[in-house]
C-alpha cells in the first residue's frame, strides 16, 4: 500500500507510482545475466490474463518457484524491488513477478483486496503446474504484496508451502489499515488511492473522454489535499469531485466498523487457515506494525498450542517505504539497514535462507526472532517477542507534568479540542505524502501547542529498555458527545529534543469496539462525565539512555494522519457539525491515568 507522492508530467497527467521499500538504497544491477527472462500469461478461472515475468535459472530444472503479486508494476522488481531477484534466481529458484488483475500489464478491473483470494489461488496453481516448477511455491513481498500471500492461502493453494509477508496489513482492516482505535486513517487512504493507484487506472481507461474526466478529478483531489479540504473534520467526505478509486477508498472509511467489506482478503476470522511456515518482516515506524505483530502473536500462540510451524519475525527501525535505517533526522547506524542487518546478511540473504529451509528442508539456522533495539542501536535475537522475561512498568501522570512509578495527589490538566485547528501530524508510523515523513521526528514544535499536554520523568539514572506492548489509560471528561485521544510515547534527550517512539489513538464512541474484529457497538460519550480511555500504542523495542526522560504527550488530533473528530457523536446516516470541546484529563490515586510498558531489567548483549 505504498503511498509516496506521484509527480505530474504536464500539469495534468499523473505518472509513475512509488517503488515499494527501496527509498534511500541505490538502484541494483540487472538480474544475473545467466537467468533467462520470459514474459508469460497466467489465465485465471474466468479467462482474465495476468502478465507474469518469469526469471529462469541457468541449467536443468525443474526448480521450486518464488512468486510476488502486486499492483505497482512488477517489472520494477527486476531492478529496484525489496529483494534482489537476480540472487533469488542464482540460488536456484524460478522467480515469478505478476501484475494483479486490472493493473499495468494484466487484464481485468482492479477491485482491491477482494479479488486476490481467488486470483491468488489460481496464480499459485498455474505456476506450480508449469514444467519449469517442481510443484512447490513460496511467496514474498511487502504491503499489498503481503496481502496477496495470505489471500492465496485463503483461496486454497496447496502448492503454496511458505510465505514471507513484510509490512503487512493482512490481519485486519481496523487496526492501522483503514482505521485505528475507531478513527479513519484518512491520510494513508488518500496517499494510497490518489498517488499509488489512480495514475495507472487513469491511463488504462479506454475512453478518451472518461480518461480526461478522471484526470480532472485527480487534479481536484490534488487541490483538496493541498488546501487540506480533504481533511476537514468529520466522517470522510467527498466535498470535491474525486477520481473513482479515491471515492472507493472514502466509501470504505464510511463503512461501519463491523462491515463485512473490511474482512475482504483479511485473516481476522481465518487464522487457522495459515498452516504453513511464515516469515514476518516489520518496521517500528510502519503503518502496519500492529497487524504484523498481531499475526505473529496469534501464529505463535497457535504453534505453542498445536505444535504447528513457529513463525519467524524480523523487525527493524524502518518505515513503510524506507529500510535504510535513516529517517526523520535519525541515523540508527549502518547495521540498521536492510542491506546490512548488522552483519547477519542482507534481506535477500535472509529470504534465501528462509526459503531454503521451508521449501528445501535446509538447515534451520535462522533465529526465531530478530529485532532492532533503538536507542542502543543493536540487533537482538530473543526466543520470542516480547521476551519471556519482560515485566510491566506503570508510569503515572501526576501533578506538575511529572511521570512517576507511583500516583500522587489528585489533579487535572485541560486542553481545548478545536476541529478547525487540528494538531499536525509529525512523524510516527505513518504512510503519507510530503512533507509528512514517518519515523522518530522531533516533537518540540508540536509539544509547544496549547492543545498538547505532556508529562515526563526525571532524567534517568540508568538505562530503561522497553521491549513489547505499550498502552495508556487516560481518565478524561469532555464537554462533547465524542472525543479522540492521541497519545505519544517520546524520548526526551538532554538537549531538549523530544522524539516520538510510538503512538496511538482512540475515539471515545468506539471504546467498546474490538480493534481487530470490529465487533461491539459505537455509542456516544456522556458529556462532563469522567470516562476511561485505553489507547493502544502497539509495541516497540527502545532503550531510554541515562540522562534521557520518558515523555508522554496527549493531544486531541493528528492531521492529516487521522480523521479529525467533530467532538460530536455521529451515528450512521446522520450529519453533525464540528464543535469545539474542552477535555479534562484527571490523574492521581483515585483516577490513575498512566502509561503501561513492557520492560526488561537489562537488555541482552
Amino acid at each position: 500500500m505504498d503511498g509516496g507522492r506521484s509527480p505530474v508530467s504536464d500539469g495534468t497527467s499523473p505518472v509513475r507510482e512509488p517503488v515499494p521499500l527501496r527509498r534511500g538504497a541505490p538502484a541494483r544491477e540487472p538480474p544475473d545475466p545467466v537467468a533467462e527472462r520470459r514474459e508469460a500469461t497466467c489465465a485465471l478461472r474466468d479467462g482474465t490474463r495476468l502478465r507474469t515475468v518469469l526469471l529462469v535459472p541457468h541449467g536443468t530444472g525443474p526448480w521450486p518457484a518464488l512468486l510476488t503479486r502486486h499492483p505497482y508494476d512488477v517489472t520494477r522488481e527486476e531492478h529496484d524491488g525489496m529483494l534482489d531477484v537476480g540472487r533469488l534466481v542464482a540460488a536456484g529458484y524460478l522467480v515469478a513477478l505478476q501484475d494483479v488483475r486490472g493493473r499495468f500489464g494484466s487484464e481485468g478491473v482492479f477491485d482491491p483486496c477482494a479479488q486476490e483470494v481467488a486470483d491468488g489461488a489460481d496464480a499459485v496453481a498455474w505456476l506450480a503446474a508449469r514444467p519449469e516448477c517442481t510443484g512447490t511455491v513460496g511467496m514474498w513481498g511487502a504491503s499489498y504484496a503481503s496481502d496477496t500471500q495470505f489471500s492465496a492461502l485463503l483461496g486454497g493453494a496447496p502448492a503454496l508451502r511458505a510465505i514471507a509477508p513484510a509490512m503487512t496489513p493482512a490481519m485486519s482492516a481496523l487496526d492501522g489499515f483503514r482505521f485505528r482505535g475507531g478513527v479513519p486513517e484518512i491520510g494513508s487512504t488518500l496517499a494510497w488511492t490518489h498517488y499509488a493507484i489512480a495514475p495507472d487506472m487513469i491511463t488504462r481507461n479506454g475512453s478518451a473522454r472518461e480518461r480526461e474526466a478522471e484526470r480532472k478529478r485527480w487534479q481536484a483531489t490534488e487541490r483538496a489535499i493541498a488546501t487540506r479540504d480533504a481533511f476537514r473534520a468529520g466522517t470522510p467526505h467527498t466535498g470535491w469531485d474525486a477520481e473513482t478509486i479515491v471515492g472507493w477508498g472514502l466509501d470504505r472509511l464510511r463503512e461501519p466498523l463491523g462491515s463485512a467489506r473490511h474482512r475482504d482478503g483479511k485473516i481476522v476470522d481465518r487464522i487457522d487457515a495459515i498452516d504453513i511456515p511464515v516469515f514476518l518482516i516489520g518496521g517500528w515506524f510502519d503503518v502496519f506494525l500492529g497487524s504484523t505483530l498481531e499475526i505473529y502473536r496469534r501464529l505463535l500462540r497457535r504453534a505453542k498450542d498445536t505444535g504447528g510451524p513457529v513463525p519467524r519475525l524480523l523487525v527493524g527501525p524502518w518505515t513503510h517505504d524506507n529500510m535504510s535505517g535513516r529517517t526523520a533526522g535519525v541515523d540508527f547506524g549502518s547495521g540498521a539497514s536492510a542491506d546490512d542487518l548488522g552483519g547477519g546478511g542482507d534481506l535477500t540473504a535472509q529470504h534465501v535462507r528462509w526459503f531454503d529451509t521451508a521449501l528445501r528442508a535446509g538447515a534451520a539456522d535462522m533465529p526465531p526472532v530478530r529485532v532492532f533495539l533503538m536507542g542502543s542501536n543493536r540487533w537482538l535475537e530473543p526466543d520470542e517477542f516480547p521476551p519471556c522475561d519482560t515485566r510491566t512498568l506503570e508510569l503515572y501522570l501526576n501533578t506538575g507534568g511529572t511521570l512517576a512509578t507511583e500516583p500522587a495527589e489528585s489533579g487535572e490538566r485541560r486542553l481545548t479540542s478545536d476541529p478547525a485547528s487540528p494538531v499536525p501530524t509529525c512523524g510516527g508510523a505513518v504512510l503519507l505524502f510530503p512533507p509528512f515523513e514517518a519515523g522518530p521526528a522531533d516533537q518540540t514544535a508540536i509539544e509547544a501547542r496549547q492543545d498538547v499536554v505532556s508529562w515526563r520523568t526525571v532524567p534517568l539514572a540508568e538505562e530503561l529498555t522497553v521491549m513489547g506492548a505499550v498502552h495508556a489509560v487516560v481518565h478524561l471528561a469532555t464537554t462533547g458527545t465524542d472525543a479522540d485521544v492521541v497519545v505519544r510515547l517520546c524520548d526526551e534527550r538532554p538537549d531538549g529534543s523530544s522524539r516520538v517512539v510510538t503512538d496511538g489513538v482512540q475515539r471515545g464512541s468506539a471504546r467498546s469496539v474490538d480493534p481487530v474484529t470490529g465487533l461491539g457497538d459505537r455509542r456516544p460519550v456522556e458529556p462532563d462525565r469522567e470516562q476511561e480511555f485505553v489507547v493502544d500504542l502497539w509495541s516497540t523495542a527502545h532503550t531510554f539512555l541515562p540522562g534521557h526522560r520518558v515523555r508522554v504527550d496527549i493531544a486531541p488530533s493528528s492531521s492529516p494522519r487521522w480523521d479529525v473528530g467533530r467532538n460530536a457523536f455521529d451515528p450512521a446516516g446522520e450529519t453533525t457539525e464540528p464543535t469545539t470541546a474542552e477535555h479534562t484529563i484527571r490523574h492521581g490515586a483515585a483516577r490513575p491515568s498512566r502509561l503501561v510498558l513492557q520492560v526488561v531489567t537489562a537488555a541482552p548483549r
Side-chain angles (χ1 to χ4, degrees):
M1 315 287 171
D2 298 273
R5 192 157 204 159
S6 177
V8 178
S9 59
D10 59 0
T12 59
S13 301
V15 298
R16 197 157 197 263
E17 297 176 6
V19 176
L21 296 167
R22 290 296 299 167
R23 186 184 299 170
R28 296 195 179 101
E29 294 298 318
D32 187 337
V34 302
E36 179 184 355
R37 182 185 190 277
R38 304 175 189 166
E39 289 245 0
T41 298
C42 169
L44 303 176
R45 67 187 69 178
D46 64 358
T48 301
R49 297 178 297 176
L50 306 185
R51 176 181 67 174
T52 308
V53 175
L54 295 177
L55 302 176
V56 185
H58 183 72
T60 302
W63 302 271
L66 299 180
L67 168 68
T68 193
R69 310 181 64 249
H70 63 62
Y72 307 119
D73 185 0
V74 292
T75 62
R76 277 186 273 163
E77 294 288 339
E78 298 178 68
H79 309 287
D80 200 22
M82 185 179 81
L83 303 184
D84 186 337
V85 295
R87 286 168 56 197
L88 299 181
V89 176
Y93 289 98
L94 170 67
V95 172
L97 316 172
Q98 188 175 88
D99 291 324
V100 299
R101 179 191 295 258
R103 298 293 291 169
F104 291 92
S106 290
E107 298 176 344
V109 177
F110 183 54
D111 184 8
C113 299
Q115 68 184 31
E116 307 305 348
V117 173
D119 289 3
D122 286 357
V124 169
W126 169 83
L127 182 59
R130 291 191 65 87
E132 306 96 332
C133 182
T134 60
T136 298
V137 178
M139 292 183 73
W140 92 92
S143 198
Y144 197 101
S146 73
D147 252 12
T148 58
Q149 298 174 54
F150 288 105
S151 292
L153 273 178
L154 297 182
L160 184 56
R161 305 294 176 81
I163 58 176
M167 311 326 200
T168 181
M171 185 67 217
S172 167
L174 305 179
D175 194 24
F177 180 54
R178 292 181 189 142
F179 295 86
R180 177 92 182 266
V183 183
E185 290 271 0
I186 179 67
S188 57
T189 294
L190 282 174
W192 186 67
T193 57
H194 177 63
Y195 291 115
I197 299 301
D200 180 61
M201 291 189 73
I202 293 171
T203 58
R204 66 189 289 131
N205 195 309
S207 164
R209 177 179 297 179
E210 182 55 29
R211 190 163 57 247
E212 182 60 27
E214 279 284 89
R215 285 194 175 113
K216 290 180 178 178
R217 295 182 190 112
W218 192 93
Q219 292 175 325
T221 299
E222 186 78 348
R223 287 191 296 271
I225 290 174
T227 62
R228 301 184 68 81
D229 185 59
F231 309 111
R232 284 192 289 111
T235 303
H237 59 92
T238 47
W240 70 97
D241 188 16
E243 63 268 44
T244 301
I245 189 63
V246 168
W248 175 93
L250 296 178
D251 283 345
R252 294 307 182 274
L253 298 187
R254 285 188 286 266
E255 287 277 336
L257 295 175
S259 170
R261 287 189 175 185
H262 295 319
R263 287 174 159 76
D264 284 344
K266 302 302 176 185
I267 62 173
V268 58
D269 302 318
R270 299 281 308 279
I271 196 72
D272 288 342
I274 315 305
D275 57 356
I276 62 174
V278 179
F279 175 27
L280 290 155
I281 301 102
W284 294 128
F285 298 103
D286 174 43
V287 68
F288 302 140
L289 174 66
S291 174
T292 301
L293 292 181
E294 184 63 19
I295 294 171
Y296 168 76
R297 284 189 290 266
R298 295 193 182 203
L299 291 179
L300 179 62
R301 186 164 57 244
R302 193 189 66 185
K304 291 180 177 180
D305 291 344
T306 68
V310 175
R312 295 296 192 264
L313 178 68
L314 171 69
V315 186
W318 306 321
T319 73
H320 190 70
D321 58 358
N322 181 349
M323 301 179 83
S324 69
R326 300 181 302 277
T327 184
V330 174
D331 187 342
F332 290 101
S334 60
S337 168
D339 291 329
D340 186 314
L341 296 178
D346 67 5
L347 197 60
T348 300
Q350 292 277 322
H351 278 71
V352 170
R353 195 175 305 161
W354 163 252
F355 286 120
D356 281 351
T357 299
L359 303 183
R360 289 174 161 154
D365 61 348
M366 285 181 64
V369 174
R370 198 155 195 259
V371 295
F372 190 86
L373 180 61
M374 300 180 291
S376 296
N377 293 352
R378 54 196 172 91
W379 291 95
L380 301 178
E381 296 181 355
D383 290 336
E384 59 185 66
F385 186 83
C388 297
D389 61 348
T390 59
R391 61 183 175 88
T392 298
L393 174 65
E394 296 186 322
L395 296 176
Y396 292 88
L397 281 54
N398 286 333
T399 54
T402 61
L403 196 62
T405 55
E406 296 292 337
E409 68 274 11
S410 296
E412 62 184 34
R413 302 277 295 277
R414 295 185 179 182
L415 61 85
T416 299
S417 171
D418 181 2
S421 180
V423 178
T425 300
C426 182
V430 302
L431 173 59
L432 293 172
F433 29 79
F436 301 100
E437 183 180 11
D442 187 0
Q443 302 296 303
T444 304
I446 303 299
E447 291 165 346
R449 288 176 59 106
Q450 296 298 308
D451 50 0
V452 178
V453 290
S454 303
W455 289 260
R456 60 184 187 160
T457 63
V458 299
L460 299 176
E462 56 187 20
E463 290 184 355
L464 175 65
T465 295
V466 182
M467 286 272 283
V470 180
H471 74 268
V473 179
V474 180
H475 290 258
L476 180 140
T478 180
T479 58
T481 56
D482 208 346
D484 291 349
V485 176
V486 175
V487 180
R488 279 189 298 275
L489 168 63
C490 299
D491 184 335
E492 183 180 317
R493 303 180 180 192
D495 64 6
S497 64
S498 174
R499 293 189 174 272
V500 61
V501 175
T502 187
D503 58 6
V505 65
Q506 180 62 52
R507 179 158 288 176
S509 59
R511 286 177 303 139
S512 298
V513 178
D514 186 285
V516 176
T517 66
L519 299 177
D521 295 327
R522 291 182 64 232
R523 50 178 177 264
V525 170
E526 186 175 336
D528 299 316
R529 178 183 175 188
E530 179 190 312
Q531 290 155 94
E532 186 178 89
F533 286 65
V534 178
V535 185
D536 184 1
L537 279 68
W538 287 346
S539 296
T540 192
H542 182 87
T543 295
F544 292 85
L545 298 175
H548 291 221
R549 301 174 189 251
V550 180
R551 183 172 183 136
V552 174
D553 298 338
I554 297 180
S557 52
S558 178
S559 180
R561 180 181 186 180
W562 290 310
D563 167 53
V564 178
R566 302 182 184 192
N567 295 318
F569 183 60
D570 55 341
E574 297 185 15
T575 301
T576 53
E577 291 299 317
T579 181
T580 298
E582 298 295 322
H583 296 347
T584 302
I585 300 165
R586 295 181 176 141
H587 48 77
R591 302 176 177 90
S593 293
R594 61 200 184 275
L595 178 72
V596 184
L597 308 168
Q598 283 183 284
V599 300
V600 295
T601 302
R605 292 189 177 273

